[in-house]
Amino acid sequence: MSRRTDHTDTTSLENFLRPIVEQFGCDLEAADLAPAGRRRLLRVLVDRDGGISLDDVAEVTRAISKALDADDIMGDGAYTLEVSSPGVDRPLTLPRHWRRNVKRLVAVTLTAGGKVTGRIKSASDEAAELDVDGKAQTVAYADVAKAKIQIEFNRAAGNDETETPADGTVEEN
């Protein structure tokens, strides 16, 4: 007879957590429960349009912790709660993932074979428009086998235009 320490399935956990996360204007991207020694590790990924700050993550963490303490969904076993935002290496699987990465470079593997790399110009519920070497190309999500943001070390984050002081001077502290 095997002893099962995890009676909570991912779907039940996500259904429990989603309304808590949504109170903060966030989306529940994933919830994963994995063994970690004698404990279990509950990893919760949250995100929202415009990004999520550390303060936002702290607020969501407190709310999730309070809700888990008040409910028996995690059972009697000890667990550790970890709440974070998805990393840049997360695959783009939903329209909102594409929308949140407009202006970023993406590598796309198509279901029909072949690859496309371009900058996301816009994203709708059905497709994204990419700038591929200066030419617009529409990629329907249904045709995407895999899509991942490409990390650009030589590109400044945020504003694409370089900033120069109005009078050309540099201020020292």
Side-chain angles (χ1 to χ4, degrees), residues 2-81:
S2 68
R3 191 172 145 219
R4 189 164 173 195
T5 58
D6 169 19
H7 77 284
T8 308
D9 65 282
T10 304
T11 303
S12 297
L13 209 53
E14 287 179 351
N15 290 338
F16 177 81
L17 296 170
R18 187 168 288 107
I20 299 163
V21 170
E22 288 175 350
Q23 291 174 24
F24 296 91
C26 298
D27 295 308
L28 176 66
E29 295 295 340
D32 180 54
L33 190 59
R38 293 184 179 162
R39 306 175 71 100
R40 293 172 292 162
L41 176 60
L42 173 56
R43 282 193 181 108
V44 179
L45 296 180
V46 296
D47 202 2
R48 71 168 155 219
D49 289 359
I52 190 163
S53 71
L54 288 175
D55 289 339
D56 298 330
V57 170
E59 281 184 25
V60 172
T61 302
R62 282 190 292 276
I64 289 173
S65 181
K66 186 176 178 180
L68 290 172
D69 288 347
D71 195 280
D72 67 350
I73 192 164
M74 291 297 292
D76 295 331
Y79 66 92
T80 300
L81 173 62

Side-chain angles (χ1 to χ4, degrees), residues 71-143:
D71 195 280
D72 67 350
I73 192 164
M74 291 297 292
D76 295 331
Y79 66 92
T80 300
L81 173 62
E82 179 183 294
V83 179
S84 63
S85 63
V88 71
D89 60 343
R90 168 203 43 199
L92 305 183
T93 58
L94 297 171
R96 70 176 179 242
H97 299 159
W98 290 82
R99 185 180 67 241
R100 289 176 180 157
N101 284 287
V102 166
K103 296 185 181 177
R104 300 192 79 179
L105 192 65
V106 64
V108 180
T109 303
L110 302 169
T111 54
K115 294 184 179 193
V116 176
T117 299
R119 194 161 306 281
I120 303 171
K121 291 174 65 175
S122 65
S124 70
D125 287 340
E126 295 82 31
E129 185 177 333
L130 305 182
D131 178 340
V132 180
D133 298 324
K135 296 178 186 164
Q137 181 173 343
T138 301
V139 177
Y141 304 136
D143 298 335

